[in-house]
Coordinates of all heavy atoms in Angstrom, one line a residue:
E136 N 0.8 -1.2 0.0 CA 0.0 0.0 0.0 C 0.9 1.3 0.0 O 0.6 2.2 -0.8 CB -0.9 0.0 1.2 CG -2.0 -1.0 1.2 CD -1.6 -2.4 1.5 OE1 -0.4 -2.6 1.9 OE2 -2.4 -3.4 1.3
K137 N 1.9 1.3 0.8 CA 2.8 2.4 0.9 C 3.5 2.6 -0.4 O 3.6 3.8 -0.9 CB 3.8 2.3 2.0 CG 3.1 2.5 3.4 CD 4.2 2.3 4.5 CE 3.6 2.5 5.9 NZ 4.6 2.3 7.0
N138 N 3.9 1.5 -1.0 CA 4.7 1.6 -2.3 C 3.7 2.1 -3.4 O 4.1 2.8 -4.3 CB 5.4 0.3 -2.6 CG 6.6 0.1 -1.7 OD1 7.1 1.1 -1.1 ND2 7.1 -1.1 -1.7
A139 N 2.5 1.6 -3.4 CA 1.6 2.0 -4.4 C 1.3 3.5 -4.4 O 1.2 4.2 -5.4 CB 0.2 1.2 -4.2
L140 N 1.3 4.0 -3.1 CA 1.0 5.5 -3.0 C 2.3 6.2 -3.5 O 2.1 7.3 -4.2 CB 0.7 5.8 -1.6 CG 0.4 7.3 -1.3 CD1 -0.9 7.7 -2.1 CD2 0.2 7.6 0.2
S141 N 3.5 5.8 -3.2 CA 4.7 6.5 -3.6 C 4.8 6.5 -5.1 O 5.4 7.4 -5.7 CB 5.9 5.8 -3.0 OG 6.2 4.5 -3.5
I142 N 4.2 5.5 -5.8 CA 4.2 5.4 -7.2 C 3.1 6.2 -7.9 O 3.3 7.0 -8.8 CB 4.1 3.9 -7.7 CG1 5.4 3.2 -7.3 CG2 3.9 3.9 -9.2 CD1 5.3 1.7 -7.5
S143 N 1.9 6.2 -7.3 CA 0.8 6.8 -7.9 C 0.6 8.3 -7.6 O 0.0 9.0 -8.4 CB -0.5 6.1 -7.4 OG -0.7 6.3 -6.0
S144 N 1.2 8.7 -6.5 CA 0.9 10.1 -6.1 C 1.9 11.1 -6.7 O 3.1 10.8 -6.7 CB 1.1 10.3 -4.5 OG 1.0 11.6 -4.2
K145 N 1.4 12.1 -7.3 CA 2.3 13.3 -7.7 C 2.2 14.3 -6.6 O 1.5 15.3 -6.8 CB 1.7 13.8 -9.1 CG 1.8 12.8 -10.2 CD 1.3 13.3 -11.5 CE 1.4 12.2 -12.6 NZ 0.9 12.7 -13.9
Q146 N 2.9 14.1 -5.6 CA 2.8 14.8 -4.3 C 2.7 16.3 -4.5 O 3.6 16.9 -5.2 CB 3.9 14.5 -3.4 CG 3.7 14.9 -2.0 CD 4.9 14.4 -1.1 OE1 5.8 15.2 -0.9 NE2 4.7 13.2 -0.5
S147 N 1.7 16.9 -3.9 CA 1.4 18.3 -3.8 C 1.0 19.0 -5.1 O 0.7 20.2 -5.2 CB 2.7 19.1 -3.3 OG 3.0 18.7 -2.0
K148 N 0.8 18.2 -6.2 CA 0.2 18.7 -7.4 C -1.3 18.8 -7.2 O -1.9 18.1 -6.4 CB 0.5 17.7 -8.6 CG 2.0 17.5 -8.9 CD 2.7 18.8 -9.3 CE 4.1 18.6 -9.7 NZ 4.9 19.8 -10.0
V149 N -1.9 19.7 -8.0 CA -3.3 19.9 -7.9 C -4.1 18.6 -8.3 O -3.8 18.0 -9.4 CB -3.8 21.1 -8.8 CG1 -5.3 21.2 -8.7 CG2 -3.2 22.4 -8.3
A150 N -5.0 18.2 -7.5 CA -5.8 16.9 -7.8 C -7.1 17.3 -8.5 O -7.8 18.2 -8.1 CB -6.0 16.2 -6.5
E151 N -7.5 16.5 -9.5 CA -8.7 16.7 -10.1 C -9.9 16.4 -9.2 O -10.9 17.2 -9.1 CB -8.8 15.7 -11.3 CG -10.1 15.7 -12.1 CD -10.2 14.7 -13.2 OE1 -9.1 14.1 -13.6 OE2 -11.3 14.4 -13.6
S152 N -9.7 15.4 -8.3 CA -10.7 15.1 -7.3 C -10.1 14.0 -6.4 O -9.1 13.3 -6.8 CB -12.0 14.6 -7.9 OG -11.8 13.3 -8.5
Y153 N -10.7 13.8 -5.2 CA -10.2 12.8 -4.3 C -10.5 11.4 -4.9 O -9.7 10.5 -4.8 CB -10.8 12.9 -2.9 CG -10.1 11.9 -2.0 CD1 -8.9 12.2 -1.4 CD2 -10.8 10.7 -1.6 CE1 -8.3 11.3 -0.5 CE2 -10.2 9.9 -0.8 CZ -8.9 10.2 -0.2 OH -8.3 9.3 0.7
D154 N -11.6 11.3 -5.6 CA -12.0 10.0 -6.2 C -10.9 9.6 -7.3 O -10.6 8.5 -7.4 CB -13.3 10.1 -6.9 CG -14.5 10.1 -5.9 OD1 -14.2 9.7 -4.7 OD2 -15.6 10.5 -6.2
A155 N -10.4 10.6 -8.0 CA -9.4 10.3 -9.0 C -8.1 9.9 -8.4 O -7.4 9.0 -8.9 CB -9.2 11.6 -9.9
V156 N -7.8 10.5 -7.3 CA -6.5 10.1 -6.6 C -6.7 8.7 -6.1 O -5.8 7.9 -6.2 CB -6.3 11.1 -5.4 CG1 -5.2 10.6 -4.5 CG2 -6.0 12.5 -5.9
E157 N -7.8 8.4 -5.5 CA -8.1 7.0 -5.0 C -8.1 6.0 -6.1 O -7.5 4.9 -5.9 CB -9.4 7.0 -4.2 CG -9.6 5.7 -3.4 CD -10.9 5.8 -2.6 OE1 -11.9 6.4 -3.0 OE2 -10.9 5.2 -1.5
K158 N -8.7 6.3 -7.2 CA -8.8 5.4 -8.3 C -7.4 5.1 -8.8 O -7.0 3.9 -9.1 CB -9.6 6.0 -9.4 CG -9.8 5.1 -10.6 CD -10.8 5.7 -11.6 CE -11.0 4.8 -12.8 NZ -11.9 5.4 -13.8
R159 N -6.5 6.1 -8.9 CA -5.2 5.9 -9.4 C -4.4 5.0 -8.4 O -3.6 4.1 -8.8 CB -4.5 7.2 -9.6 CG -3.0 7.2 -10.1 CD -2.5 8.6 -10.3 NE -1.0 8.6 -10.6 CZ -0.5 8.4 -11.8 NH1 -1.3 8.2 -12.8 NH2 0.8 8.4 -11.9
F160 N -4.6 5.3 -7.1 CA -3.9 4.5 -6.1 C -4.3 3.0 -6.2 O -3.5 2.1 -6.2 CB -4.2 5.1 -4.7 CG -3.9 4.1 -3.6 CD1 -2.6 3.9 -3.2 CD2 -4.9 3.4 -2.9 CE1 -2.3 3.0 -2.2 CE2 -4.6 2.6 -1.9 CZ -3.3 2.4 -1.5
L161 N -5.6 2.8 -6.3 CA -6.1 1.4 -6.3 C -5.6 0.6 -7.6 O -5.3 -0.6 -7.5 CB -7.6 1.4 -6.2 CG -8.2 1.8 -4.9 CD1 -9.7 1.9 -4.9 CD2 -7.8 0.9 -3.7
S162 N -5.6 1.3 -8.7 CA -5.1 0.8 -9.9 C -3.7 0.4 -9.8 O -3.2 -0.7 -10.2 CB -5.3 1.7 -11.1 OG -4.8 1.2 -12.3
T163 N -2.9 1.3 -9.2 CA -1.5 1.0 -9.0 C -1.3 -0.2 -8.0 O -0.4 -1.0 -8.2 CB -0.7 2.3 -8.4 OG1 -1.0 3.3 -9.3 CG2 0.8 2.0 -8.3
L164 N -2.1 -0.2 -7.0 CA -2.0 -1.3 -6.0 C -2.2 -2.6 -6.6 O -1.4 -3.6 -6.2 CB -3.0 -1.0 -4.9 CG -3.0 -2.0 -3.7 CD1 -1.7 -2.0 -3.0 CD2 -4.1 -1.7 -2.7
K165 N -3.1 -2.7 -7.5 CA -3.3 -4.0 -8.2 C -2.1 -4.5 -9.0 O -2.0 -5.7 -9.2 CB -4.6 -3.9 -9.1 CG -5.9 -3.8 -8.3 CD -7.0 -3.7 -9.3 CE -8.4 -3.5 -8.6 NZ -9.5 -3.3 -9.5
S166 N -1.3 -3.5 -9.5 CA -0.2 -3.9 -10.4 C 1.1 -4.2 -9.6 O 2.1 -4.6 -10.2 CB 0.0 -2.7 -11.3 OG 0.6 -1.6 -10.7
I167 N 1.1 -3.9 -8.3 CA 2.3 -4.1 -7.5 C 2.6 -5.6 -7.3 O 1.7 -6.4 -7.0 CB 2.1 -3.5 -6.0 CG1 2.0 -2.0 -6.1 CG2 3.3 -3.9 -5.1 CD1 3.3 -1.3 -6.3
T168 N 3.9 -6.0 -7.6 CA 4.3 -7.3 -7.4 C 5.7 -7.3 -6.6 O 6.2 -6.2 -6.3 CB 4.6 -8.0 -8.7 OG1 5.7 -7.5 -9.4 CG2 3.4 -7.9 -9.6
T169 N 6.2 -8.4 -6.3 CA 7.5 -8.5 -5.6 C 8.6 -8.0 -6.5 O 9.7 -7.7 -6.0 CB 7.8 -9.9 -5.2 OG1 7.8 -10.8 -6.3 CG2 6.8 -10.4 -4.1
K170 N 8.4 -7.8 -7.8 CA 9.4 -7.4 -8.7 C 9.3 -5.9 -9.0 O 10.1 -5.3 -9.7 CB 9.3 -8.1 -10.0 CG 9.6 -9.6 -9.9 CD 9.6 -10.3 -11.3 CE 9.9 -11.8 -11.1 NZ 9.9 -12.4 -12.5
T171 N 8.3 -5.2 -8.4 CA 8.1 -3.8 -8.5 C 9.3 -3.0 -8.0 O 9.7 -3.3 -6.8 CB 6.8 -3.3 -7.9 OG1 5.7 -4.0 -8.5 CG2 6.6 -1.8 -8.1
T172 N 9.9 -2.1 -8.7 CA 11.0 -1.4 -8.3 C 10.7 0.0 -7.8 O 9.6 0.6 -8.2 CB 12.1 -1.3 -9.4 OG1 11.5 -0.7 -10.5 CG2 12.6 -2.7 -9.7
R173 N 11.5 0.6 -7.1 CA 11.3 2.0 -6.6 C 11.3 3.0 -7.7 O 12.2 2.9 -8.6 CB 12.4 2.3 -5.6 CG 12.4 3.8 -5.1 CD 13.6 4.1 -4.2 NE 14.9 4.0 -4.9 CZ 15.4 5.0 -5.6 NH1 14.8 6.2 -5.6 NH2 16.6 4.9 -6.2
P174 N 10.3 3.9 -7.8 CA 10.3 4.9 -8.8 C 11.4 5.9 -8.6 O 11.8 6.2 -7.4 CB 8.9 5.5 -8.7 CG 8.6 5.3 -7.3 CD 9.2 4.0 -6.9
D175 N 12.0 6.5 -9.7 CA 13.0 7.5 -9.5 C 12.5 8.7 -8.8 O 13.4 9.5 -8.3 CB 13.6 7.9 -10.9 CG 14.3 6.7 -11.6 OD1 14.8 5.8 -10.9 OD2 14.4 6.7 -12.8
S176 N 11.2 8.9 -8.8 CA 10.7 10.1 -8.2 C 10.5 10.0 -6.7 O 10.0 11.0 -6.1 CB 9.3 10.4 -8.8 OG 8.4 9.3 -8.6
W177 N 11.0 8.9 -6.1 CA 10.8 8.8 -4.6 C 12.0 8.2 -4.0 O 12.7 7.3 -4.6 CB 9.6 7.8 -4.4 CG 9.2 7.7 -2.9 CD1 8.3 8.4 -2.2 CD2 9.8 6.7 -2.0 NE1 8.2 7.9 -0.9 CE2 9.1 6.9 -0.8 CE3 10.7 5.7 -2.2 CZ2 9.4 6.1 0.3 CZ3 11.0 4.9 -1.0 CH2 10.4 5.2 0.2
G178 N 12.4 8.7 -2.8 CA 13.6 8.1 -2.2 C 13.9 8.8 -0.9 O 13.1 9.6 -0.4
G179 N 15.0 8.6 -0.4 CA 15.4 9.1 1.0 C 16.2 10.4 0.9 O 16.8 10.8 0.0
Y180 N 16.0 11.1 2.1 CA 16.8 12.3 2.3 C 17.6 12.1 3.6 O 17.0 11.6 4.6 CB 16.0 13.5 2.5 CG 15.5 14.1 1.1 CD1 14.3 13.9 0.6 CD2 16.4 14.9 0.4 CE1 13.9 14.4 -0.6 CE2 16.1 15.4 -0.8 CZ 14.8 15.2 -1.3 OH 14.5 15.7 -2.5
S181 N 18.8 12.4 3.7 CA 19.6 12.4 4.9 C 19.9 13.9 5.3 O 20.3 14.7 4.5 CB 21.0 11.7 4.7 OG 20.8 10.4 4.4
F182 N 19.8 14.1 6.6 CA 20.3 15.4 7.1 C 21.3 15.2 8.2 O 21.2 14.3 9.0 CB 19.2 16.4 7.5 CG 18.3 15.9 8.6 CD1 18.7 16.2 10.0 CD2 17.1 15.3 8.4 CE1 17.8 15.8 11.0 CE2 16.2 14.9 9.4 CZ 16.6 15.2 10.7
V183 N 22.4 16.0 8.2 CA 23.5 15.9 9.1 C 23.5 17.1 10.0 O 23.7 18.2 9.5 CB 24.8 15.7 8.4 CG1 26.0 15.7 9.4 CG2 24.8 14.4 7.6

């Protein structure tokens, strides 16, 4: 679920509707497998 959201969400961009956001999330969730890789648009930040 967390990975589906990191893939499906265009964080902070204007949303057409909450239903559209949810639909995109659920569609992505169905496609998630053990072979799904991290999207380039998401990752870690370190602060020192």
Side-chain angles (χ1 to χ4, degrees):
E136 290 77 11
K137 288 180 179 178
N138 285 343
L140 185 61
S141 68
I142 294 170
S143 66
S144 175
K145 297 181 180 179
Q146 193 176 92
S147 298
K148 300 295 183 185
V149 175
E151 179 183 341
S152 67
Y153 187 78
D154 286 343
V156 171
E157 189 175 36
K158 184 176 180 180
R159 180 177 170 86
F160 165 75
L161 293 174
S162 175
T163 304
L164 182 60
K165 289 179 181 178
S166 70
I167 294 282
T168 70
T169 56
K170 294 183 179 179
T171 300
T172 58
R173 177 183 64 88
D175 292 338
S176 60
W177 184 93
Y180 280 102
S181 293
F182 61 86
V183 175

